[in-house]
C-alpha cells in the first residue's frame, strides 16, 4: 500500500497546525515539497533525494513488517545502528511509525576494551530489546547476547497483519512519554541513555525556529545521526519548518575540510553545525585552496552556523567570519552556542558572535532560548550567584536517563532543575560564559570521553614503570589543534628509572591514549608522589592538578619527548630503512601517511612511527580515504584498524588480512616476518587469494611465513598468460625473497600443483627443496577442479557456507541458472551470513567476481595439466573427498591420491581430518597442523 492508501484506510485526520508527537512532525513535513538530500558518496558525488512524503511512506510500509516480526510493539525500545545517514533516517522513523521508541546507538569505540564496555552497557540497559543494523555491521555485536536483526532479515519477513492506525500509535494524552533515545559520552563504556519526550523535542525545535528565524532555510549536517546536534538541531528542526536538509558523511569533510563551504554554497544552506576545531580546519583549508585556486562561493543564504560541542576560540570565529563575508555571508552568521544531549542540543546562542567577544580568548554562549528554559548558577553552598555550576529547568530538558534511576537522581533536583556539571558566569548583559567543568569529562574535537575510563585503560594495560592508582588525566587547550588535548600525569616506578626505560613507559602510555581517543596526548608527565597528593579517601584531584599544570608547576618534569621518539620531529632521527627495502604495500602506506603528516616517508618505517607522527582525527580520515582510493579497495578500512596500528608494517599486516594488497603486483605477501626456523612459502588455491592460510599461522611458530598471491585479483590486473608464466613469476619472487635454499613449499588445492612444479624448477637449477607439501590436491587437478565454471562450485558449497539444505541449494542453483555472472555473484553474496563474510576478510561482491575470474582461469589451466617428472620428496595431506570430486577409473579418493607416489623419490601421504572445505578450519585444522609439523620434523626442517 502507498502512504496515501494507508492514510485513507485509517481515516487520516487533518494535518495538525502544531505537531504533538514525532509522527505528526513527519506527517507535517510530508505535506510539503521539502526533501532530504544524502551525499553519501561525498560532497562532489550525486545526491540521493528522499522527499519527506516518501520517507513517511517508507516508514508506514515497514510498520507491518516490524509488528509481524515481533520486533516493535507500542512503547517498546528498538535500537538502531548504521554507518550511513540514509539507513539511520529510514529505520528510526520506521520504528516511530510502528509505535516504538528509537534508540540511536553511538559509533562503537576503536579501543577494544572500551567497545566491549559499550556493548555490555547496552545489554545492561536494554536487555532483549531488538537491535536493527546492516549485515555488514552485524558482526560487531556477535557474542554480546543482543537480539540483533539485520535489515535484510527484516525485509524478508512476511507481514501477517495490516498496521494499526497511525492514530493508535501514540495518543495525544501521552505527550510526556519517551519519543527517542540518544547517548551521552558515546566513546565511553558507561554511556547514559538520554530519554526525550515528544513534548521536549517539539518544544525545542519550535523555540529554535522562532529564536533563530530558521524558516525557509536549507539545513545541513555532517556529524553522525546519533549526535544531538544532527538529530535535534538539524534533522527535527528542518522537518518542523518543512525545509530541505542535506546530510553528508563526516569522512569527506574531514579529509578536505574546505568542502564544508562548498556544500554550504552549492545547496544554499542557511543552517548548520560545527565544533570549533573543525571550523578552524575548514577555514585554514579554504585559505590554502584560495592561495592557489580561484574559488567561487555563494554564502549569501547562510544565517546560522551553530558552533558548539567544545570551547569556542573567539579568534577562530573571527577568522572564519572574515573569510565567509568575502563570499557574501551576512554578519553574525556564526552563533557560538552551548547545550548538551540532555537539553536537546543547543539551548544558548550568542546572536552577536564573534564581535561580542573580541578581546576575550573564548566566546560566550549568549542567552538561553526564551519561553522554554530558565537558568541559575549555584555555588557549593546551594546559593544562587553570578558564578557557579549551571543548572537548567524547562520544557527542553531530558525526562531522565533510561533504566538508570541513580544517574537521573544525581543530576535532577526534586523541583526539576538539571545539574549540567558545567561551571559558568553571567556577564553584565546576561550572557553565559563557560569557565570549565565540574564533571570528569574530556571534550576532544567535540566528542566526550571519561577521564576515569582513560585512567582505567592506562592502569590496566600492564605498563612497566607506572605506579597504579597515581594516574591523573585531564584536558587542556591546545592552540595547534584549536581544541582540547589530553594531559596524563603519572608516578614512575623503579622500572622507569633511566632515560630508555622512562621513554618506553611514556610511549606505552601514549599508545593507550591513542587507541582510546584517536589522538596522542599533548603531554605525559612523570611526577613524584609528593606532587600527586591524595585526599583522605584516596583520590587525586584532577581539577587542582589541572590548575597547577596550566600555571607551569610541572614544567621542570616534562620529559624530552623528542629523545623518546614520541613526536614527529623525533622520529626523523630513527630512520633505519629505505622505501626500497619494504614491500610495495608498506611503501604505499608510508607515502600516504607522509603526505598527510608532513614527514619524510622513510621516517615512518620505524616501530611506533605512526603513533609518533602527530596525526589527528582529520589526518586519519585523509589517510583512510587516500589508501582506499590508491589501493582500489572494494571495502572500507575500519577506523579502529588505523588507530590501533602504530607502525607501517602493522597496518600493512592488517590490510593484508582483509585481502588488500598494493596496486603494484607483488606475488609475495609477508604474513610472519620473524623466526629462526626455515621460512615456508604458502601457495594459494584456485581462487588465487591467501586468506585461507591465516588460521594456520599460529601453528607454525618461530618461522617467517610468506603467502604467494595470484595475479588478477586487483582491479585492472590481468591474469597470467600461461602456467609457465605464473611459475616463472613465482620462482623469481621466491628467489628474490630467499636467495638461497633450502626451500619449503606448501600448497592448498591448486597450490599443491604449484608447489610440485616449483620444486621441480628449483631442483633442476641445483637448489635444495627440503619440503614440498600439498593439502588435498590430487595429481590430476581436474578431479577437484572439475566444474567448468567457478559459480558451479560456489553453489556446491552453499550448504557448508550458509546452512542451506542440499535441496535448497539445488533450488537456488536452478533459479539462478539463467543469470549472467555479475547478477549471479550478487545473488549468492546475499546468501552468505555475516560470519562467512567476516572470516573471508570482509568479503564483497567485487571480490567474489575477482575470485571467479582467477579461478576460472585456473580451471582452464587445470583442464590441460598432466603431472609429470619427479621431485626428491613430497608430503601430501589427504582429507575426506567431497561428493563432487571425481574418482572415476580408480574407485576411491585414496587411490586418486596414491598416484602421487609415482611422482616423488620419497613420497608420504598423511591422512587428516575433515574435507576440502573444513580442513583449514577448527576443529579439523588441529589435526592438520599436527601432521604438518610432524612432516616438517621428519624432513629435518
Amino acid at each position: 500500500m502507498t502512504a496515501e492508501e494507508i492514510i485513507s484506510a485509517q481515516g487520516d485526520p487533518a494535518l495538525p497546525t502544531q505537531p504533538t508527537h514525532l509522527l505528526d512532525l513527519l506527517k507535517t513535513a510530508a505535506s510539503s515539497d521539502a526533501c532530504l538530500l544524502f551525499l553519501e558518496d561525498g560532497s562532489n558525488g550525486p545526491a540521493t533525494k528522499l522527499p519527506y512524503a516518501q520517507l513517511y511512506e517508507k516508514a508506514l510500509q515497514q510498520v507491518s513488517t516490524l509488528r509481524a516480526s515481533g520486533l516493535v510493539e507500542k512503547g517498546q525500545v528498538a535500537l538502531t545502528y548504521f554507518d550511513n545517514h540514509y539507513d539511520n533516517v529510514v529505520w528510526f522513523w520506521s520504528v516511530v511509525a510502528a509505535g516504538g521508541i528509537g534508540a540511536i546507538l553511538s559509533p562503537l569505540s576503536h579501543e577494544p576494551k572500551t567497545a566491549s564496555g559499550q556493548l555490555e552497557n547496552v545489554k545492561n540497559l536494554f536487555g532483549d530489546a531488538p537491535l536493527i543494523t546492516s549485515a555488514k555491521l552485524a558482526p560487531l555485536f556477535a557474542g554480546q547476547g543482543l537480539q540483533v536483526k539485520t535489515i535484510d532479515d527484516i525485509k524478508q519477513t512476511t507481514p501477517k497483519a495490516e498496521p494499526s492506525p497511525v492514530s493508535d500509535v501514540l495518543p495525544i494524552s501521552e505527550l510526556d512519554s519517551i519519543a527517542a533515545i540518544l547517548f551521552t559520552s558515546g566513546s565511553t563504556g558507561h554511556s547514559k541513555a538520554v530519554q526525550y519526550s515528544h513534548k521536549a523535542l517539539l518544544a525545542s525545535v519550535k523555540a529554535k525556529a522562532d529564536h533563530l528565524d530558521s524558516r525557509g532555510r536549507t539545513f545541513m549536517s555532517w556529524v553522525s545521526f546519533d549526535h544531538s546536534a544532527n538529530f535535534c538541531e538539524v534533522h527535527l528542526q528542518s522537518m518542523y519548518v518543512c525545509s530541505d536538509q542535506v546530510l553528508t558523511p563526516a569522512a569527506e569533510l574531514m579529509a578536505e575540510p574546505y568542502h564544508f563551504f562548498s556544500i554550504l554554497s552549492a545547496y544554499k544552506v542557511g543552517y548548520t553545525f560545527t565544533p570549533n576545531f573543525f571550523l578552524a580546519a575548514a577555514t585554514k583549508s579554504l585559505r590554502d585552496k584560495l592561495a592557489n585556486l580561484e574559488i567561487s562561493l555563494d554564502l549569501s543564504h547562510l544565517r546560522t552556523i551553530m558552533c558548539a560541542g567544545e570551547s569556542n576560540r573567539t579568534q577562530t570565529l573571527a577568522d572564519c567570519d572574515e573569510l565567509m563575508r568575502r563570499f557574501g555571508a551576512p554578519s553574525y552568521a556564526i552563533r557560538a552556542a552551548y547545550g548538551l544531549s540532555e537539553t536537546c542540543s543547543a539551548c544558548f546562542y550568542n546572536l552577536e558572535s564573534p564581535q561580542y567577544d573580541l578581546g576575550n580568548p573564548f566566546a560566550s554562549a549568549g542567552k538561553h532560548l526564551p519561553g522554554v528554559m530558565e537558568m541559575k548558577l549555584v555555588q557549593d553552598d546551594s546559593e544562587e550567584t553570578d558564578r557557579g555550576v549551571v543548572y537548567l529547568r524547562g520544557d527542553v530538558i531530558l525526562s531522565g536517563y533510561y533504566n538508570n534511576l541513580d544517574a537521573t537522581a544525581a543530576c535532577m533536583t526534586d523541583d526539576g532543575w538539571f545539574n549540567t556539571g558545567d561551571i559558568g558566569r553571567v556577564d553584565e548583559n546576561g550572557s553565559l560564559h563557560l569557565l570549565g567543568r565540574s564533571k570528569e569529562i574530556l571534550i576532544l574535537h567535540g566528542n566526550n570521553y571519561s577521564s576515569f575510563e582513560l585512567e582505567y585503560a592506562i592502569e590496566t594495560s600492564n605498563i612497566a614503570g607506572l605506579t597504579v592508582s597515581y594516574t591523573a588525566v585531564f584536558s587542556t587547550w591546545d592552540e595547534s589543534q584549536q581544541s582540547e588535548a589530553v594531559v596524563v600525569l603519572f608516578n614512575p616506578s623503579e622500572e622507569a628509572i633511566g632515560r630508555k626505560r622512562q621513554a618506553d613507559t611514556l610511549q606505552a602510555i601514549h599508545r593507550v591514549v591513542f587507541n582510546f581517543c584517536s589522538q596522542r596526548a599533548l603531554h605525559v608527565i612523570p611526577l613524584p608522589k609528593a606532587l600527586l597528593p591524595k585526599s583522605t579517601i584516596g583520590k587525586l584531584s584532577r581539577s587542582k592538578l589541572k590548575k597547577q599544570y596550566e600555571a607551569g608547576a610541572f614544567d621542570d618534569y616534562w620529559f624530552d619527548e623528542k629523545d623518546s621518539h614520541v613526536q614527529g620531529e623525533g622520529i626523523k632521527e630513527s630512520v633505519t630503512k629505505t622505501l626500497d627495502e619494504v614491500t610495495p604495500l608498506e611503501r604505499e602506506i608510508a607515502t600516504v601517511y607522509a603526505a598527510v603528516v608532513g614527514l619524510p616517508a622513510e621516517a615512518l618505517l620505524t616501530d611506533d612511527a605512526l603513533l609518533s607522527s602527530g596525526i589527528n582525527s582529520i589526518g586519519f580520515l585523509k589517510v583512510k580515504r587516500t589508501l582506499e582510493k590508491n589501493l582500489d579497495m572494494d571495502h572500507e578500512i575500519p577506523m579502529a584498524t588505523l588507530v590501533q596500528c602504530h607502525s607501517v608494517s602493522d597496518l600493512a599486516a592488517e590490510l593484508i588480512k582483509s585481502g588488500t594488497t598494493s596496486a603494484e603486483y607483488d606475488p609475495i605477501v609477508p604474513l610472519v616476518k620473524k623466526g629462526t626456523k626455515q621460512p615456508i612459502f604458502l601457495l594459494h588455491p584456485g581462487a588465487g587469494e591467501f586468506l585461507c592460510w591465516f588460521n594456520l599461522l599460529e601453528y607454525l611458530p618461530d618461522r617467517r611465513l610468506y603467502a604467494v598471491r595470484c595475479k588478477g585479483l586487483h582491479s585492472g590486473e590481468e591474469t597470467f598468460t600461461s602456467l609457465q608464466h605464473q611459475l616463472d613469476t613465482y620462482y623469481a619472487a621466491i628467489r628474490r625473497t630467499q636467495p638461497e635454499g633450502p626451500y619449503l613449499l606448501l600448497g592448498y588445492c591448486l597450490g599443491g600443483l604449484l608447489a610440485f612444479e616449483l620444486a621441480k624448477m628449483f631442483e633442476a637449477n641445483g637448489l635444495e627443496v627440503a619440503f614440498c607439501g600439498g593439502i588435498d590436491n590430487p595429481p590430476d587437478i581436474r578431479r577437484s577442479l572439475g566444474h567448468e565454471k567457478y559459480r558451479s562450485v560456489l553453489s556446491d558449497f552453499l550448504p557448508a557456507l550458509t546452512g542451506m539444505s542440499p535441496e535448497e541449494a539445488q533450488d537456488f542453483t536452478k533459479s539462478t541458472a539463467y543469470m549472467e555472472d555479475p547478477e549471479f555473484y550478487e545473488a549468492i553474496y546475499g546468501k552468505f551470513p555475516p560470519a562467512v563474510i567476516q572470516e573471508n576478510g570482509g568479503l564483497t561482491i567485487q571480490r567474489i567476481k575477482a575470485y571467479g575470474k582467477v579461478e576460472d582461469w585456473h580451471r582452464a589451466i587445470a583442464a590441460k595439466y598432466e603431472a609429470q617428472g619427479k621431485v626428491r620428496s613430497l608430503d601430501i595431506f589427504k582429507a575426506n573427498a567431497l561428493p563432487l570430486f571425481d574418482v572415476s577409473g580408480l574407485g576411491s579418493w585414496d587411490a586418486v591420491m596414491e598416484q602421487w607416489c609415482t611422482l616423488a623419490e620419497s613420497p608420504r601421504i598423511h591422512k587428516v581430518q575433515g574435507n576440502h572445505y573444513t580442513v583449514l578450519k577448527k576443529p579439523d585444522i588441529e589435526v592438520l597442523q599436527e601432521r604438518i609439523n610432524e612432516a616438517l620434523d621428519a624432513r629435518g626442517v
Side-chain angles (χ1 to χ4, degrees):
M1 298 177 71
T2 66
E4 289 76 12
E5 290 171 333
I6 293 174
I7 293 170
S8 177
Q10 295 171 350
D12 184 40
L15 291 171
T17 56
Q18 172 64 39
T20 53
H21 57 77
L22 287 193
L23 204 57
D24 268 345
L25 186 69
L26 175 57
K27 185 176 174 184
T28 302
S31 68
S32 70
D33 294 330
C35 67
L36 297 108
L37 292 171
F38 299 93
L39 305 183
E40 300 293 4
D41 293 328
S43 63
N44 296 317
T48 299
K49 184 176 180 179
L50 180 64
Y52 289 119
Q54 288 186 18
L55 174 60
Y56 188 35
E57 181 176 333
K58 284 178 177 289
L60 291 179
Q61 287 173 341
Q62 291 297 343
V63 171
S64 296
T65 303
L66 291 173
R67 293 270 183 87
S69 62
L71 290 181
V72 180
E73 298 293 339
K74 179 181 171 183
Q76 178 185 345
V77 172
L79 302 152
T80 57
Y81 187 85
F82 296 98
D83 59 359
N84 65 82
H85 291 304
Y86 187 90
D87 284 334
N88 267 311
V89 169
V90 169
W91 287 96
F92 169 78
W93 285 106
S94 296
V95 170
V96 171
I101 300 165
I104 309 164
L105 284 183
S106 301
L108 294 177
S109 172
H110 306 316
E111 202 279 314
K113 284 185 179 178
T114 306
S116 178
Q118 283 179 292
L119 293 175
E120 183 180 356
N121 185 50
V122 169
K123 176 64 176 175
N124 290 338
L125 287 177
F126 297 99
D128 294 329
L131 192 160
I132 302 170
T133 187
S134 64
K136 181 179 77 171
L137 299 174
L140 296 174
F141 304 97
Q144 299 295 328
L146 298 165
Q147 187 189 165
V148 179
K149 296 292 182 182
T150 70
I151 54 179
D152 290 334
D153 293 336
I154 295 171
K155 288 175 180 177
Q156 292 172 8
T157 302
T158 302
K160 297 178 182 178
E162 287 296 315
S164 300
V166 173
S167 58
D168 288 347
V169 169
L170 188 67
I172 293 177
S173 61
E174 296 183 18
L175 291 183
D176 287 330
S177 63
I178 306 173
I181 293 174
L182 298 186
F183 293 79
T184 65
S185 305
S187 296
T188 70
H190 296 95
S191 304
K192 296 185 286 293
V194 180
Q195 299 176 158
Y196 298 105
S197 68
H198 295 266
K199 179 180 178 181
L201 290 171
L202 294 170
S204 171
V205 294
K206 181 181 185 305
K208 294 176 200 287
D210 293 342
H211 188 58
L212 301 169
D213 188 24
S214 62
R215 290 175 174 81
R217 315 292 182 196
T218 295
F219 286 67
M220 189 273 279
S221 181
W222 56 274
V223 296
S224 58
F225 193 68
D226 67 281
H227 198 296
S228 63
N230 185 336
F231 181 74
C232 302
E233 195 79 21
V234 171
H235 184 62
L236 296 184
Q237 188 182 173
S238 66
M239 296 175 76
Y240 179 80
V241 298
C242 296
S243 292
D244 294 340
Q245 62 177 290
V246 180
L247 299 176
T248 189
E252 176 72 17
L253 299 192
M254 285 290 197
E256 296 288 355
Y258 76 91
H259 280 314
F260 175 72
F261 299 108
S262 300
I263 294 176
L264 298 185
S265 174
Y267 292 94
K268 300 179 180 180
V269 172
Y271 198 110
T272 190
F273 156 81
T274 179
N276 181 90
F277 88 92
F278 181 75
L279 194 67
T283 302
K284 180 181 183 303
S285 176
L286 181 56
R287 286 192 188 280
D288 291 345
K289 288 291 179 183
L290 289 172
N292 301 304
L293 294 172
E294 187 171 331
I295 298 177
S296 177
L297 297 173
D298 178 9
L299 302 181
S300 61
H301 297 83
L302 187 62
R303 289 299 179 272
T304 296
I305 295 182
M306 191 271 277
C307 196
E310 60 181 344
S311 300
N312 290 314
R313 193 76 164 177
T314 305
Q315 190 59 50
T316 299
L317 307 187
D319 289 345
C320 183
D321 178 67
E322 183 275 328
L323 183 61
M324 291 197 306
R325 285 208 231 174
R326 290 166 53 183
F327 296 101
S331 300
Y332 309 126
I334 301 176
R335 308 287 174 81
Y338 166 66
L340 304 95
S341 296
E342 289 89 341
T343 62
C344 298
S345 191
C347 53
F348 284 74
Y349 299 86
N350 186 335
L351 303 185
E352 300 176 21
S353 290
Q355 285 76 7
Y356 184 87
D357 294 294
L358 292 178
N360 295 325
F362 294 97
S364 62
K367 300 179 178 66
H368 62 71
L369 289 170
V372 292
M373 177 178 289
E374 53 185 325
M375 175 190 71
K376 66 179 180 180
L377 303 182
V378 178
Q379 291 281 20
D380 293 337
D381 57 7
S382 298
E383 291 186 2
E384 293 188 39
T385 178
D386 61 357
R387 180 188 296 259
V389 178
V390 179
Y391 278 73
L392 303 173
R393 182 170 68 178
D395 292 340
V396 300
I397 304 299
L398 80 162
S399 60
Y401 296 114
Y402 186 84
N403 200 18
N404 195 336
L405 295 177
D406 290 342
T408 301
C411 72
M412 300 291 292
T413 66
D414 292 339
D415 53 351
W417 287 98
F418 168 61
N419 179 350
T420 67
D422 292 311
I423 302 170
R425 70 174 177 87
V426 175
D427 66 20
E428 63 276 9
N429 297 316
S431 289
L432 175 66
H433 296 253
L434 295 167
L435 306 176
R437 290 179 293 277
S438 60
K439 294 180 178 179
E440 306 294 358
I441 293 175
L442 310 169
I443 300 182
L444 310 173
H445 285 182
N447 293 316
N448 291 356
Y449 299 86
S450 162
S451 301
F452 166 78
E453 292 205 9
L454 179 51
E455 290 170 359
Y456 178 79
I458 292 170
E459 294 202 336
T460 58
S461 295
N462 298 318
I463 297 174
L466 180 141
T467 305
V468 175
S469 84
Y470 279 88
T471 304
V473 171
F474 52 82
S475 61
T476 191
W477 185 260
D478 178 8
E479 190 66 32
S480 66
Q481 297 280 341
Q482 284 290 293
S483 184
E484 295 196 4
V486 175
V487 174
V488 181
L489 309 179
F490 77 102
N491 174 244
S493 67
E494 291 185 0
E495 292 173 280
I497 294 176
R499 194 164 191 79
K500 173 65 168 62
R501 288 184 174 182
Q502 190 164 96
D504 290 343
T505 300
L506 264 68
Q507 191 75 329
I509 294 173
H510 273 293
R511 289 191 198 102
V512 176
V513 174
F514 199 75
N515 288 349
F516 185 84
C517 58
S518 303
Q519 67 180 73
R520 63 186 301 279
L522 179 64
H523 286 115
V524 177
I525 306 176
L527 294 175
K529 285 185 178 179
L531 294 182
L532 292 167
K534 293 186 176 183
S535 67
T536 55
I537 58 173
K539 290 188 176 181
L540 296 172
S541 172
R542 299 184 189 92
S543 59
K544 290 181 180 178
L545 291 170
K546 177 178 178 177
K547 288 180 181 178
Q548 289 178 285
Y549 163 84
E550 292 179 339
F554 306 140
D555 288 0
D556 291 343
Y557 294 89
W558 286 7
F559 191 76
D560 189 347
E561 296 186 344
K562 289 186 179 182
D563 289 346
S564 69
H565 310 301
V566 295
Q567 286 193 357
E569 292 297 319
I571 65 175
K572 293 180 182 178
E573 305 167 12
S574 304
V575 177
T576 58
K577 294 180 182 178
T578 68
L579 292 179
D580 293 334
E581 296 175 287
V582 298
T583 68
L585 180 57
E586 291 172 335
R587 187 160 58 245
E588 182 71 42
I589 292 170
T591 303
V592 168
Y593 256 93
V596 171
V597 300
L599 292 171
E602 288 84 356
L604 297 171
L605 300 179
T606 59
D607 290 344
D608 282 336
L610 302 188
L611 166 67
S612 311
S613 67
I615 194 167
N616 57 21
S617 57
I618 293 178
F620 273 127
L621 284 163
K622 287 183 178 179
V623 167
K624 170 180 159 63
R625 193 183 71 157
T626 306
L627 283 177
E628 288 169 352
K629 179 181 178 181
N630 290 6
L631 298 174
D632 196 22
M633 296 178 65
D634 57 13
H635 58 283
E636 291 187 19
I637 303 173
M639 188 59 71
T641 298
L642 289 176
V643 172
Q644 293 166 17
C645 291
H646 303 154
S647 70
V648 165
S649 60
D650 286 346
L651 181 53
E654 288 302 314
L655 292 181
I656 284 170
K657 289 179 182 178
S658 70
T660 301
T661 56
S662 59
E664 178 185 345
Y665 173 65
D666 183 359
I668 303 299
V669 181
L671 300 183
V672 178
K673 294 185 176 182
K674 296 180 180 179
T676 61
K677 297 180 180 179
Q678 283 295 114
I680 300 178
F681 291 87
L682 304 167
L683 284 302
H684 59 76
E689 196 52 279
F690 51 82
L691 300 176
C692 60
W693 295 113
F694 284 121
N695 290 338
L696 188 61
L697 301 185
E698 64 178 294
Y699 298 111
L700 299 172
D702 197 26
R703 289 186 191 274
R704 285 167 291 153
L705 299 172
Y706 301 97
V708 179
R709 172 186 174 273
C710 188
K711 188 178 181 184
L713 292 171
H714 198 276
S715 177
E717 197 175 71
E718 297 299 323
T719 55
F720 291 110
T721 57
S722 66
L723 176 59
Q724 194 57 53
H725 178 206
Q726 184 176 21
L727 293 170
D728 289 343
T729 302
Y730 291 177
Y731 178 85
I734 293 171
R735 287 293 307 274
R736 182 178 68 247
T737 306
Q738 183 188 334
E740 300 296 333
Y743 293 94
L744 281 61
L745 309 171
L746 177 63
Y748 170 47
C749 188
L750 177 87
L753 175 158
L754 299 172
F756 174 72
E757 291 296 331
L758 285 168
K760 289 196 300 182
M761 293 176 67
F762 279 111
E763 291 177 352
N765 286 300
L767 297 166
E768 179 185 359
V769 178
F771 184 83
C772 177
I775 300 172
D776 210 35
N777 59 298
D780 182 356
I781 196 66
R782 289 169 293 188
R783 294 180 179 272
S784 59
L785 290 176
H787 288 284
E788 293 182 1
K789 297 194 73 175
Y790 166 61
R791 59 186 285 174
S792 301
V793 176
L794 281 178
S795 296
D796 287 333
F797 280 139
L798 273 177
L801 289 170
T802 68
M804 294 172 66
S805 69
E807 293 74 23
E808 290 172 329
Q810 289 176 9
D811 289 343
F812 174 83
T813 303
K814 291 177 183 177
S815 66
T816 57
Y818 69 93
M819 293 180 179
E820 296 295 327
D821 280 355
E823 187 181 2
F824 168 78
Y825 291 141
E826 291 182 11
I828 200 165
Y829 179 81
K831 296 295 182 182
F832 294 152
V836 170
I837 294 172
Q838 187 177 36
E839 72 183 24
N840 284 279
L843 191 64
T844 63
I845 295 172
Q846 289 81 359
R847 197 177 302 169
I848 293 175
K849 292 177 181 178
Y851 291 165
K853 178 179 74 172
V854 170
E855 179 139 344
D856 283 341
W857 181 82
H858 280 140
R859 289 177 188 283
I861 293 295
K864 304 173 185 177
Y865 176 77
E866 291 185 16
Q868 298 177 344
K870 279 192 175 184
V871 294
R872 189 178 66 83
S873 66
L874 187 62
D875 287 85
I876 298 297
F877 303 90
K878 176 173 64 70
N880 297 318
L882 289 170
L884 58 96
F885 287 179
D886 179 18
V887 297
S888 59
L890 294 172
S892 71
W893 191 244
D894 288 346
V896 170
M897 299 297 277
E898 290 293 335
Q899 289 183 308
W900 278 117
C901 294
T902 65
L903 298 168
E905 295 173 8
S906 174
R908 295 171 185 170
I909 309 294
H910 309 271
K911 174 64 178 173
V912 296
Q913 185 173 294
N915 59 43
H916 191 83
Y917 176 71
T918 66
V919 68
L920 281 168
K921 298 179 181 179
K922 290 184 177 181
D924 297 340
I925 195 172
E926 301 285 352
V927 174
L928 175 66
Q929 66 89 12
E930 285 183 10
R931 300 293 178 269
I932 290 175
N933 280 299
E934 288 169 358
L936 290 167
D937 289 342
R939 299 293 185 184
V941 290

